[in-house]
Amino acid sequence: MKRILLCVILLICSGSLLGQVTLSGSVTGKDNKPAFEALILLYSSDTVLIKTEVVDEAGLFQFQVEDNQRYYLQITADDYITYFSELIQVNGTTPMAEIKLLTKESNLGEVEVVAKKPYLERQPGKLILNVESSINSTGSSAFELLEKAPAVRINNNDVITLSGKSGIVVQIDGKSLPMSGTDLGNYLRGIPSSSIEKIELISNPSSKYDAAGSAIINIKLKKDTRLGTNGTIAAGYGQGVYPKMNSGISLNHRTKRFNVYGSYNYAYRKAFNHLVLERRFFKNDTFQGAYIQDNYLKFPFNNHIVRAGVDFNINKKNSIGFVVNGITNQFKQQGFNSSDVQGPNATTVSAFETTNDSKDIWYSGSANFNYKRLLDTLGSEWTVDLDYAAYGNNTQQLFTTRYYNLDHIEYQPAYLLGGDIVGNLSIYSIKTDVHKELGKDRSLDAGLKSSYVIADNNLQFFDQSTGVSIYDSTKSNHFIYKENINAGYVSYTQKLGKWMIQLGLRAEHTAVSGEQLVYNITNDTNYLQLFPTAYLTYQLNEKNSFEISYARRIDRPGYDQLNPFKFYLDPSTYKEGNPYLRPQTTHVIEIAHLWNNSIYTQLGVGKTLDNITEVIAPSLTQQNITVQTNTNLKSAEIIYFNASVPIPITKWWTTTNNLNSYVALYSGNVANTSITRQGSFAFNVQTSNQFTIGKTWTLEVNADYRSKELYAFDRINDIWSFGIGAQKKILQNRGSIRLNVTDLFYTNITTANVKFTDYTEYFDVRRETRVATLSLTYKFGKTSVAANRRRAGGADDLKSRVNNSGVG
């Protein structure tokens, strides 16, 4: 492996450094004085950042660049409008550039046009939600933003799908989140929207990305990029049924060679989940009984997120960085379940009530060291990432169930079940990537990666009905999971006139071992798989471009999905992992069209084999018991069409409209119920409208509609929502006050019918989606913007599969 890496690096770095010339110029500002310390960014013709410099005391700058190439310049400085050059053709006799910056006071209207971004923005291969641009995003959480995101569905168990595709990888700043299902939902509820810059929905990632996941949702947190010492403070208060509040601060000190930054965010969000169920059991189509259940769960989250890092430019070619993250999430769940039990004659014969008192502490810490070397002035680079992450959890549970007759008198002793869950997980990862520009229109990317994961989970249950804790071996388990993945990829890009082609191949070898200590059962497996990608782009003219792409992806089961533990919700329902769950693989082909850099349309088709699906189905071994678990369906086929249409109706009214539609067909067998290409057409329409009132006021109105859908065994009914908000800029535009109300008419309610052989279920789930929020944000310090270093570590795909803030 080391020899292969060395050969790849030597091969790619062996390009000639001859033919370099100087691109120089002068920059002046007010009264024709030198714009000392203005920041200059040099971009290649395809807008890849190559290098940054600072104007000297005489107002001069210079770059060493490749001859006979084309470049862009961007210049930023305090109190001046950001300067963007035309495309510069460099040759040996290129004259010295003379640039004069305009003050912001001289053209305030232009500043507004440059800085403004739409809430919904389409780029090839991805849809971007610019959270900072949306007033109605104020005071919410990452979870609530995804609930309203186009093509995103979140079911009553917090499982996320995108355009009908399951197996979604959720990332924070390019680092995959270490959890799934309800645990991922709880984590996202703790991240305040005030700490989020934007959310990227990536439908068809290239081979440079880890092969895990059928699609990627990347949540990018705010990071101050201004020169000097500066920062941002934010605070907000929201009120729905329960109160919510958040606060945060970020600090940054940046010079030409050195950058140190840190942030702290705190969120308190008390919320509820109200789930009404009607479960009916049959035998040979004859009614046997039913549970009519009302579950009310409230949970106050106390979430702390700390992040600190440093970047240092050793010289013009070499830079290093180090970043650490810490997360704690504490919450005390209080749940009450009321269940009426019906007999074969469909009348109530008894009832039971279950209370759930749980104390949860989830914590995690991670560290990343990174090195970057610029190989030439065209944008070639070599990077190395070393990652370590550790996660832990401690959960104390107590379920108390009381049984009543029709006179609401207890007819048998109460059942008390106590749980003690302790988990630890460690991730080690190293990766290296090389990007080499092979001339004017060609580039090559290659990389290697190795990771090792070990998870140790110990679940102990105790029967406390008699006042003495008695260990229950039938419900307890101790599970140890180990995994090693070694991967390598290569990707080649070539421009041919109006055409551009990119071909990539990724290989991943996986070796896993799962051991159940209580039952002395071990499951080992290993496999090698290839993941090709291909992209073909055609620029028809200045206004029209087309792209067709293909990718093969894999989605490995989350560590919690493999964990065979049983988590009891009430006497009739429990959640259980599946240690025999297989990875799912997906083939996707997409065709996209972009008109005038604004209207974006996309047509895609995909097929997933061994589709991992979460189901709530009747137990095959226990009568009238329902089990929530994950299983492999045979396949899932999907055809989808998406469109984004931003329209500037007037100077003061801008609307962005999105359509996401698909047909998803599922085949497989669960609980003796076979389906063959079962599914339906579904669509989601979303509109976001912004109205500019004067120089400091903005009004925003949003609406969202999601159609009915047949999702495998679930028939989900349609839902819609409406939100409104207003913003006032204050303190010389450095601060803003926002007031907004989400789901104004409280219509974002999910209802569905589920059907299996000898079992039907209806559910109605309501969350706290209607919230009024008032928030304040203020930025202080200098306003000159510098370029960010890329910062995504090597353990991203692994963290996405860890349960509950990190423990499987």
Side-chain angles (χ1 to χ4, degrees):
M1 185 69 73
K2 292 181 179 179
R3 292 181 178 178
I4 295 175
L5 174 60
L6 182 59
C7 291
V8 171
I9 295 171
L10 291 176
L11 175 63
I12 295 177
C13 296
S14 60
S16 173
L17 295 179
L18 298 177
Q20 291 193 346
V21 297
T22 299
L23 173 62
S24 62
S26 64
V27 183
T28 58
K30 190 175 182 180
D31 300 327
N32 291 321
K33 293 181 179 179
F36 178 46
E37 290 190 340
L39 182 72
I40 306 182
L41 297 89
L42 177 70
Y43 292 91
S44 65
S45 59
D46 55 354
T47 67
V48 174
L49 179 63
I50 298 174
K51 197 175 183 182
T52 61
E53 287 289 353
V54 176
V55 175
D56 64 20
E57 295 182 6
L60 303 177
F61 71 90
Q62 68 176 23
F63 292 99
Q64 294 299 314
V65 298
E66 296 288 335
D67 198 4
N68 298 316
Q69 299 293 328
R70 296 184 297 172
Y71 301 93
Y72 288 104
L73 289 176
Q74 177 184 345
I75 305 176
T76 62
D78 285 341
D79 303 323
Y80 291 96
I81 298 171
T82 300
Y83 169 83
F84 298 94
S85 75
E86 298 294 332
L87 195 59
I88 301 171
Q89 177 65 52
V90 174
N91 55 54
T93 59
T94 300
M96 182 174 177
E98 295 182 358
I99 301 168
K100 181 174 176 59
L101 300 181
L102 299 177
T103 60
K104 290 181 178 178
E105 291 80 4
S106 65
N107 196 345
L108 289 175
E110 182 178 350
V111 175
E112 287 298 318
V113 172
V114 171
K116 190 173 183 180
K117 287 185 178 181
Y119 174 57
L120 296 169
E121 179 184 359
R122 279 282 187 185
Q123 292 183 4
K126 69 174 69 173
L127 172 65
I128 300 174
L129 281 66
N130 292 302
V131 176
E132 285 187 300
S133 300
S134 173
I135 300 170
N136 280 314
S137 297
T138 303
S140 60
S141 66
F143 181 87
E144 292 159 326
L145 292 177
L146 288 179
E147 275 192 311
K148 297 180 289 185
V152 175
R153 284 266 194 184
I154 304 179
N155 69 9
N156 60 308
N157 299 310
D158 293 347
V159 175
I160 300 173
T161 60
L162 178 62
S163 295
K165 292 187 287 188
S166 60
I168 307 301
V169 172
V170 179
Q171 299 180 339
I172 297 288
D173 285 335
K175 292 181 172 292
S176 301
L177 285 176
M179 55 205 80
S180 62
T182 301
D183 308 310
L184 173 60
N186 288 339
Y187 178 83
L188 294 175
R189 290 183 180 98
I191 300 178
S193 60
S194 59
S195 66
I196 300 172
E197 176 189 355
K198 60 185 176 181
I199 298 175
E200 299 175 334
L201 309 179
I202 306 172
S203 60
N204 210 12
S206 70
S207 61
K208 187 173 182 178
Y209 290 89
D210 290 296
S214 59
I216 294 173
I217 297 177
N218 184 27
I219 301 171
K220 302 195 74 172
L221 301 180
K222 295 177 181 177
K223 182 178 178 182
D224 211 316
T225 59
R226 294 169 289 172
L227 286 172
T229 301
N230 40 64
T232 302
I233 57 174
Y237 177 82
Q239 184 67 53
V241 176
Y242 300 108
K244 296 141 184 45
M245 63 189 69
N246 63 270
S247 59
I249 183 172
S250 64
L251 296 172
N252 187 84
H253 178 73
R254 183 186 294 268
T255 65
K256 181 179 178 181
R257 296 185 60 185
F258 186 77
N259 179 42
V260 59
Y261 56 91
S263 64
Y264 168 74
N265 284 280
Y266 168 75
Y268 172 83
R269 301 185 63 81
K270 187 174 183 179
F272 71 85
N273 191 89
H274 189 192
L275 176 63
V276 176
L277 293 163
E278 184 176 313
R279 293 171 170 167
R280 297 185 174 275
F281 298 87
F282 299 83
K283 185 175 182 180
N284 298 325
D285 294 328
T286 301
F287 180 69
Q288 299 295 304
Y291 292 119
I292 312 299
Q293 300 180 305
D294 192 319
N295 300 269
Y296 190 88
L297 181 67
K298 57 183 179 180
F299 36 85
F301 288 93
N302 284 278
N303 187 274
H304 302 263
I305 303 175
V306 179
R307 186 170 187 250
V310 59
D311 295 324
F312 179 66
N313 295 322
I314 301 172
N315 50 42
K316 293 183 178 181
K317 291 187 176 182
N318 299 278
S319 59
I320 58 174
F322 181 73
V323 59
V324 294
N325 295 273
I327 301 171
T328 64
N329 192 10
Q330 301 181 43
F331 52 98
K332 183 178 180 181
Q333 299 187 65
Q334 294 179 309
F336 179 77
N337 169 279
S338 175
S339 301
D340 289 337
V341 182
Q342 292 185 348
N345 58 357
T347 59
T348 302
V349 295
S350 64
F352 62 85
E353 296 176 352
T354 300
T355 59
N356 169 19
D357 291 298
S358 299
K359 295 180 180 179
D360 292 75
I361 300 177
W362 301 95
Y363 49 90
S364 65
S366 62
N368 166 266
F369 172 80
N370 53 87
Y371 168 75
K372 178 179 178 179
R373 177 176 174 82
L374 299 179
L375 303 178
D376 54 37
T377 60
L378 296 178
S380 302
E381 66 179 31
W382 172 41
T383 61
V384 178
D385 283 276
L386 302 175
D387 281 89
Y388 170 73
Y391 303 88
N393 75 291
N394 194 322
T395 300
Q396 302 292 324
Q397 298 178 326
L398 178 61
F399 296 93
T400 302
T401 302
R402 300 183 184 278
Y403 302 88
Y404 300 94
N405 59 23
L406 294 179
D407 297 321
H408 202 68
I409 299 175
E410 291 190 59
Y411 65 87
Q412 71 180 56
Y415 175 56
L416 279 70
L417 180 66
D420 185 1
I421 305 171
V422 178
N424 294 283
L425 182 142
S426 296
I427 297 175
Y428 308 84
S429 173
I430 179 173
K431 76 166 187 172
T432 181
D433 299 278
V434 177
H435 171 76
K436 177 62 180 176
E437 293 291 335
L438 301 176
K440 181 179 179 180
D441 298 317
R442 296 176 299 148
S443 65
L444 181 68
D445 291 270
L448 298 171
K449 178 179 177 181
S450 182
S451 63
Y452 177 74
V453 176
I454 180 169
D456 187 339
N457 293 270
N458 191 3
L459 172 64
Q460 300 182 74
F461 272 111
F462 301 88
D463 187 339
Q464 300 177 356
S465 304
T466 62
V468 178
S469 294
I470 301 175
Y471 180 74
D472 190 339
S473 60
T474 64
K475 297 181 174 65
S476 303
N477 207 336
H478 190 177
F479 184 63
I480 296 178
Y481 179 85
K482 299 177 182 179
E483 177 185 271
N484 175 231
I485 300 176
N486 295 294
Y489 77 91
V490 62
S491 177
Y492 176 77
T493 303
Q494 171 79 61
K495 291 182 180 179
L496 299 169
K498 293 184 177 182
W499 296 86
M500 185 186 76
I501 185 170
Q502 182 186 92
L503 300 174
L505 180 65
R506 186 179 187 90
E508 292 189 353
H509 178 266
T510 304
V512 298
S513 172
E515 184 179 6
Q516 301 181 55
L517 299 184
V518 173
Y519 302 106
N520 194 27
I521 298 174
T522 301
N523 297 309
D524 294 329
T525 186
N526 68 87
Y527 50 88
L528 173 68
Q529 294 204 34
L530 300 178
F531 304 95
T533 59
Y535 299 81
L536 180 64
T537 302
Y538 177 65
Q539 188 72 43
L540 178 63
N541 50 45
E542 290 184 357
K543 290 189 175 182
N544 292 276
S545 63
F546 298 86
E547 180 183 80
I548 182 170
S549 62
Y550 163 78
R552 181 177 187 264
R553 309 282 297 170
I554 188 172
D555 186 44
R556 300 179 182 89
Y559 309 124
D560 60 320
Q561 295 174 321
L562 295 168
N563 195 330
F565 293 178
K566 293 181 179 179
F567 297 88
Y568 285 84
L569 307 178
D570 59 60
S572 66
T573 311
Y574 64 86
K575 179 180 179 181
E576 182 179 39
N578 180 1
Y580 304 103
L581 205 58
R582 301 182 302 276
Q584 69 176 31
T585 55
T586 303
H587 299 264
V588 178
I589 298 176
E590 289 184 351
I591 301 175
H593 172 244
L594 180 64
W595 180 80
N596 202 27
N597 286 322
S598 59
I599 297 179
Y600 182 84
T601 54
Q602 177 190 62
L603 176 66
V605 58
K607 184 171 184 178
T608 299
L609 302 178
D610 291 326
N611 187 72
I612 298 175
T613 305
E614 184 172 63
V615 296
I616 300 180
S619 171
L620 298 179
T621 59
Q622 299 169 280
Q623 186 176 1
N624 292 359
I625 296 295
T626 306
V627 181
Q628 178 181 339
T629 189
N630 286 272
T631 187
N632 289 108
L633 293 182
K634 180 181 178 182
S635 66
E637 303 165 75
I638 183 171
I639 301 175
Y640 53 93
F641 174 79
N642 302 321
S644 177
V645 185
I647 304 174
I649 297 177
T650 67
K651 291 183 178 180
W652 50 269
W653 179 10
T654 301
T655 179
T656 302
N657 307 282
N658 278 269
L659 167 68
N660 299 273
S661 59
Y662 57 90
V663 176
L665 305 175
Y666 301 88
S667 301
N669 185 293
V670 176
N672 293 327
T673 305
S674 293
I675 56 175
T676 301
R677 307 189 76 215
Q678 179 165 291
S680 69
F681 171 75
F683 67 93
N684 168 216
V685 178
Q686 186 177 73
T687 180
S688 176
N689 299 267
Q690 288 200 343
F691 305 88
T692 301
I693 305 172
K695 294 183 178 181
T696 60
W697 282 94
T698 305
L699 178 69
E700 183 176 291
V701 178
N702 293 333
D704 181 271
Y705 174 79
R706 298 165 191 254
S707 71
K708 295 181 179 180
E709 178 183 3
L710 176 57
Y711 175 68
F713 305 95
D714 301 359
R715 294 184 179 272
I716 305 172
N717 296 319
D718 58 339
I719 57 176
W720 64 277
S721 63
F722 180 86
I724 188 169
Q727 172 183 272
K728 166 69 173 176
K729 293 183 179 180
I730 59 174
L731 302 174
Q732 298 179 333
N733 291 339
R734 286 179 173 261
S736 64
I737 298 176
R738 292 182 173 186
L739 175 65
N740 74 292
V741 181
T742 58
D743 195 15
L744 184 63
F745 302 107
Y746 197 46
T747 53
N748 192 357
I749 300 169
T750 301
T751 60
N753 290 277
V754 184
K755 185 175 182 179
F756 291 93
T757 300
D758 290 337
Y759 175 80
T760 64
E761 176 184 306
Y762 168 80
F763 69 79
D764 178 314
V765 60
R766 300 166 187 249
R767 302 184 177 101
E768 197 165 15
T769 54
R770 181 168 57 188
V771 179
T773 303
L774 179 67
S775 68
L776 170 67
T777 302
Y778 177 71
K779 294 183 178 182
F780 56 90
K782 290 189 175 183
T783 58
S784 297
V785 178
N788 276 327
R789 290 184 68 235
R790 171 206 58 85
R791 197 58 278 125
D796 304 346
D797 61 319
L798 303 171
K799 296 178 184 177
S800 68
R801 299 164 53 213
V802 186
N803 173 37
N804 284 329
S805 301
V807 178

